[in-house]
Amino acid sequence: MMNTKHTYRYLYRWTGCLICLLCLLSGLVACSDTEDPDLFPEKMVTLSLRLNTGNFVTRAGTDPSAIRTVGVIVLEKKENDTYQYQYLATPVQNEENNRYEIRLYPTDQPVKLSLIANMEDLSSLLTALTTGSGTTTEEEIREALLVSFENGTLEELPMYGEVVYENGITEASTSIEEISMLRSMATVKVSLVESLFEDETFLLKSIQAYRTNDRIQVIPDPTAFYENEDEDETEWKVITPSVPQTAGSTITTPSVNAGNSTVQSLGPVYLPESETKTDIISEATCLIIGGVYKGDGYETSTRTTYYRIDFKNASGEPTGQILRNHFYAIEISAVNGPGTTHPEEADEKDIIVKITNWEESEHEIDDLGKTD
């Protein structure tokens, strides 16, 4: 016959194990709204989304349409009409054409999906931001998701897109939707007008940007858009820059050089957004063009001199303003003399340019800055 003390000892031991197991399961259920979706696959709804990066053709440098990594920030609308962070989902690319499957928790509350492309440390940034807090707001996430531009160049362009499900996400929300992804940077190319290129009175040698911002805000401000609704669809236009408060306009981008080649165009150069400045000359982001002037009296010159180009055009945008997802095609129509010896001293005195500003998503742009 088993000793009574031993019997009680085994009962206590197993009872304790069962209590611990029940507490663990209870804890998992309680935190299921913020844990990794992979832990609860039976609760998930699968959405299929296609990300549209627009048409863009270029033969040099970074591919502005490439998406290498994507994270989906799930935000749920609360009673005060603000969105709050729930969890980060990782999409799986299931076929070509930037189509992804995303597993999400079902909910009958309004949900916004914020899609972030090409941001390496997205997961760690969100973890640091949300640790110990269950009320992280959309605004806090927007202010925290910044990309450094301290090297003056990026291998891939960060992008942002969003979709809102006003009736929540249920098993019926499985249809394929197309989401436009906005590049968080602007694209700039410089070209010579055909006649200037053909008579070789000016040889284009280099371009680079001065005083660019050193940080990029991946998610634009809610006031950055103009909504234009027509019968078929809602069209969003970027109308103001979203610049982090911590950004400093201190960066000079690496020079894009023609070398020994005779070229009609140079670029692209990718730039963070920029606000207009009080002192355009000493504070605003600008382009510095290097070239060899071979006009009257300088036919045999081989010396590169420098010219300044400010971001201004006939569209009414403030001088010095640079907007994300825009393509700035700068066409040099005339050069009337040699520039300065040093790029830091360059001015606009002897160069005439035309700046055309396009939304990249609207046009297919070739490497000379012309649209279809």
Side-chain angles (χ1 to χ4, degrees):
M1 183 173 180
M2 182 179 290
N3 187 292
T4 302
K5 292 182 178 179
H6 288 175
T7 301
Y8 286 142
R9 186 181 302 162
Y10 283 118
L11 286 173
Y12 289 146
R13 181 181 300 169
W14 282 105
T15 301
C17 290
L18 286 172
I19 291 173
C20 290
L21 181 60
L22 288 173
C23 289
L24 177 61
L25 290 174
S26 176
L28 288 173
V29 171
C31 67
S32 63
D33 285 341
T34 56
E35 289 288 349
D36 187 339
D38 288 338
L39 297 177
F40 303 92
E42 71 281 358
K43 294 184 177 182
M44 308 311 293
V45 172
T46 300
L47 289 180
S48 182
L49 304 175
R50 182 179 181 273
L51 309 187
N52 178 18
T53 60
N55 296 321
F56 192 100
V57 179
T58 182
R59 292 197 290 266
T62 303
D63 181 355
S65 299
I67 291 181
R68 188 174 56 83
T69 61
V70 181
V72 179
I73 300 173
V74 182
L75 302 147
E76 191 169 289
K77 198 172 189 179
K78 300 303 180 182
E79 292 181 358
N80 58 1
D81 287 336
T82 62
Y83 285 97
Q84 292 183 353
Y85 174 81
Q86 298 300 303
Y87 56 90
L88 175 67
T90 302
V92 177
Q93 190 169 12
N94 62 349
E95 55 184 272
E96 295 180 356
N97 298 323
N98 285 332
R99 185 169 293 164
Y100 296 82
E101 287 188 348
I102 309 168
R103 290 190 301 160
L104 306 167
Y105 295 117
T107 176
D108 58 2
Q109 299 301 309
V111 171
K112 176 185 288 187
L113 306 183
S114 293
L115 287 83
I116 312 293
N118 300 335
M119 190 169 182
E120 286 286 351
D121 51 355
L122 176 61
S123 179
S124 60
L125 277 172
L126 287 172
T127 299
L129 186 64
T130 58
T131 298
S133 171
T135 57
T136 303
T137 65
E138 182 180 17
E139 181 180 2
E140 290 172 322
I141 290 175
R142 184 187 308 115
E143 292 175 352
L145 297 189
L146 307 180
V147 172
S148 172
F149 195 65
E150 292 182 352
N151 292 328
T153 185
L154 293 173
E155 291 185 4
E156 290 135 349
L157 305 187
M159 303 183 196
Y160 176 75
E162 66 180 43
V163 59
V164 175
Y165 295 96
E166 292 290 353
N167 298 319
I169 298 175
T170 65
E171 292 184 1
S173 303
T174 56
S175 60
I176 296 173
E177 297 191 41
E178 184 167 289
I179 300 176
S180 294
M181 299 294 289
L182 262 63
R183 301 172 186 87
S184 298
M185 304 178 72
T187 306
V188 180
K189 291 203 80 171
V190 176
S191 63
L192 303 178
V193 70
E194 193 75 30
S195 58
L196 188 61
F197 174 65
E198 289 179 349
D199 65 22
E200 296 188 353
T201 55
F202 181 76
L203 306 181
L204 184 59
K205 288 298 181 182
S206 66
I207 62 170
Q208 62 184 144
Y210 276 56
R211 293 191 296 273
T212 64
N213 285 320
D214 58 9
R215 280 170 177 72
I216 300 163
Q217 182 176 307
V218 178
I219 303 177
D221 295 332
T223 57
F225 299 100
Y226 165 74
E227 183 179 5
N228 178 30
E229 295 186 3
D230 58 28
E231 295 180 358
D232 299 322
E233 60 182 4
T234 299
E235 186 178 41
W236 295 91
K237 295 287 188 182
V238 180
I239 56 172
T240 59
S242 302
V243 178
Q245 293 184 354
T246 56
S249 52
T250 60
I251 304 303
T252 299
T253 63
S255 179
V256 177
N257 299 304
N260 294 323
S261 303
T262 300
V263 298
Q264 186 173 357
S265 67
L266 278 177
V269 174
Y270 300 101
L271 301 179
E273 288 187 290
S274 178
E275 299 171 313
T276 187
K277 303 292 185 179
T278 303
D279 186 345
I280 299 298
I281 299 301
S282 62
E283 296 179 351
T285 301
C286 66
L287 282 184
I288 302 297
I289 306 300
V292 177
Y293 177 70
K294 301 177 77 68
D296 292 342
Y298 294 88
E299 290 86 353
T300 61
S301 174
T302 59
R303 182 169 65 99
T304 297
T305 59
Y306 299 92
Y307 308 78
R308 172 183 172 128
I309 297 175
D310 286 312
F311 286 86
K312 56 186 178 182
N313 53 54
S315 301
E317 292 92 344
T319 299
Q321 177 176 277
I322 300 173
L323 299 176
R324 71 179 59 209
N325 205 56
H326 280 231
F327 182 98
Y328 294 86
I330 299 175
E331 186 176 61
I332 302 173
S333 56
V335 180
N336 299 321
T340 62
T341 301
H342 303 290
E344 297 83 1
E345 301 170 353
D347 57 40
E348 296 183 293
K349 182 177 62 174
D350 287 310
I351 191 168
I352 299 175
V353 302
K354 175 185 176 183
I355 300 179
T356 306
N357 177 1
W358 288 301
E359 281 274 355
E360 286 191 5
S361 57
E362 292 181 339
H363 301 275
E364 181 168 324
I365 305 168
D366 68 20
D367 66 343
L368 292 180
K370 299 188 174 108
T371 60
D372 59 357

